[in-house]
Amino acid sequence: MVTPLVKREVVTFLKQNFKVSERRACHILNIHRPLVRYHSSRPADDSLRQRLRELSFERKRFGYRRLHVLLTREGVKVNHKKLWRIYKEEGLSVRKRSGRKRAVGTRAPIALPSKVNERWSLDFVSDSFMDGRRFRMLCIVDDYSRECLALVPDTSISGERLARELDKLIDYRGKPNTIVSDNGTEMTSNAILKWQQERNINWHYIAPGKPMQNGFVESFNGKLRDECLNETLFEDLHHVRRILSVWRHDYNHIRPHSSLNGLSPYMALNKERNKNIANQQKINKNINLRLYLKLELI
């Protein structure tokens, strides 16, 4: 279907190149003349367009939905359909990266954890420096809060190193009930098997060739690669650590998550914490009221 803008351009082309009147051009093309003479009354929205371009430049892999969340946080009131129109007119659509075809197995739903530290997921991601040398990153995610607990890059991470990093995280955050991982050599090493037994932590290994059984950290890995690794050329390990530290802070504190209703993990946790405090205060108030009424009756 030809848009009204294109129809106006065709009429203008006929008038300029074939020296015909507007009436004649509209008659030939079967176009109503009011459509040609119409002038849009929409506001230019220059400030909105400028801010949208700035955000899309800062967040190259964000689509219009997440950009809409960021604009809303800044106090900009705009309908998502209008933002989509402006987003398309400015040519800001995110180009989809092609990937290799993958076999699709049976999809089984995974039970969601009900509290923080109930289940952690971990996995390794690899990338390369500018000179071609490879390095790896240990990614640890809390499946309930969607928070990135750790991003540890190094040229080599053994089972002993993995155990030490987990101990550091437990000292800071507390012990999880369950840890989910694949069957990599680091996860099944004697060091990790011994660590599981000594810490009395349930370690669940997913089925071989079924990465989506560890879907939370796999989803995180995709966002990490799409928004950080594919956008950065790394010079050395110090550069990697600096970039990952900044990106992890942004991911946990600022980046809107669709699974958390547009909130960041820290925002969602603070909202839940405040709600629990309010509920506890309400319960305490009811208990005090009942005690007062009993004393009055006595």
Side-chain angles (χ1 to χ4, degrees):
M1 180 179 290
V2 181
T3 62
L5 178 61
V6 174
K7 292 180 179 179
R8 295 189 194 101
E9 293 175 351
V10 173
V11 169
T12 303
F13 176 81
L14 288 179
K15 289 169 60 179
Q16 293 177 352
N17 292 274
F18 294 93
K19 307 301 180 183
V20 297
S21 65
E22 179 184 289
R23 184 190 298 272
R24 179 63 175 168
C26 290
H27 178 73
I28 295 172
L29 299 172
N30 194 22
I31 296 175
H32 295 288
R33 292 180 67 191
L35 184 145
V36 177
R37 297 185 175 186
Y38 173 78
H39 294 284
S40 176
S41 58
R42 286 175 176 171
D45 297 313
D46 293 332
S47 60
L48 174 61
R49 292 174 183 270
Q50 177 64 25
R51 185 56 185 151
L52 187 61
R53 285 194 296 268
E54 292 173 356
L55 285 175
S56 63
F57 179 77
E58 295 172 6
R59 312 276 186 164
K60 294 183 176 64
R61 302 302 301 173
F62 274 23
Y64 83 98
R65 290 186 179 89
R66 285 200 170 92
L67 294 176
H68 182 249
V69 173
L70 295 179
L71 287 171
T72 303
R73 288 183 188 173
E74 295 178 1
V76 179
K77 295 182 178 179
V78 58
N79 184 279
H80 70 280
K81 291 180 285 187
K82 177 179 179 180
L83 186 68
W84 165 249
R85 175 177 58 82
I86 296 175
Y87 179 80
K88 294 292 287 185
E89 290 175 357
E90 294 295 325
L92 303 177
S93 298
V94 178
R95 181 178 61 85
K96 291 185 177 180
R97 291 191 172 101
S98 59
R100 65 182 180 88
K101 294 183 179 180
R102 301 178 183 271
V104 179
T106 303
R107 296 181 178 181
I110 185 170
L112 295 176
S114 58
K115 60 182 179 181
V116 174
N117 278 1
E118 184 173 339
R119 187 175 69 214
W120 294 356
S121 296
L122 58 88
D123 197 7
F124 286 96
V125 177
S126 63
D127 206 340
S128 60
F129 299 114
M130 294 175 62
D131 58 7
R133 291 181 298 127
R134 304 291 295 179
F135 66 91
R136 306 182 75 196
M137 288 157 285
L138 169 64
C139 306
I140 307 178
V141 176
D142 188 302
D143 291 354
Y144 177 76
S145 65
R146 307 300 200 273
E147 179 186 358
C148 174
L149 306 180
L151 271 179
V152 183
D154 212 331
T155 53
S156 176
I157 301 178
S158 63
E160 291 84 356
R161 174 70 182 281
L162 174 58
R164 292 198 301 270
E165 295 296 337
L166 289 172
D167 280 333
K168 290 180 186 177
L169 192 56
I170 289 173
D171 291 340
Y172 165 73
R173 187 182 176 88
K175 188 169 71 171
N177 295 338
T178 305
I179 294 178
V180 182
S181 76
D182 58 19
N183 295 271
T185 54
E186 301 85 359
M187 322 294 191
T188 56
S189 64
N190 290 330
I192 289 298
L193 296 176
K194 181 180 177 182
W195 183 87
Q196 298 172 29
Q197 187 175 5
E198 292 176 348
R199 302 299 185 277
N200 193 25
I201 293 178
N202 178 35
W203 195 297
H204 175 74
Y205 293 102
I206 65 173
K210 303 289 184 181
M212 284 317 297
Q213 290 183 7
N214 200 11
F216 290 98
V217 74
E218 290 292 342
S219 175
F220 171 82
N221 291 346
K223 296 177 178 66
L224 171 64
R225 185 168 298 281
D226 188 46
E227 298 174 13
C228 180
L229 302 183
N230 288 345
E231 297 293 320
T232 311
L233 294 175
F234 297 109
E235 300 172 2
D236 51 32
L237 208 52
H238 297 291
H239 185 212
V240 175
R241 289 175 179 142
R242 185 170 67 252
I243 293 297
L244 290 184
S245 177
V246 173
W247 186 85
R248 177 173 170 260
H249 180 274
D250 178 84
Y251 181 88
N252 287 334
H253 291 81
I254 301 173
R255 184 187 184 278
H257 292 239
S258 56
S259 59
L260 300 176
N261 296 323
L263 300 176
S264 68
Y266 276 18
M267 290 178 181
L269 286 176
N270 288 333
K271 182 179 179 181
E272 182 180 358
R273 190 178 298 114
N274 293 334
K275 183 179 179 180
N276 292 336
I277 292 174
N279 291 337
Q280 188 60 44
Q281 290 175 347
K282 186 177 180 180
I283 292 172
N284 293 338
K285 183 178 179 181
N286 291 336
I287 292 173
N288 293 334
L289 180 60
R290 291 177 182 177
L291 291 174
Y292 174 77
L293 292 175
K294 286 182 178 180
L295 291 174
E296 286 292 322
L297 291 173
I298 294 173

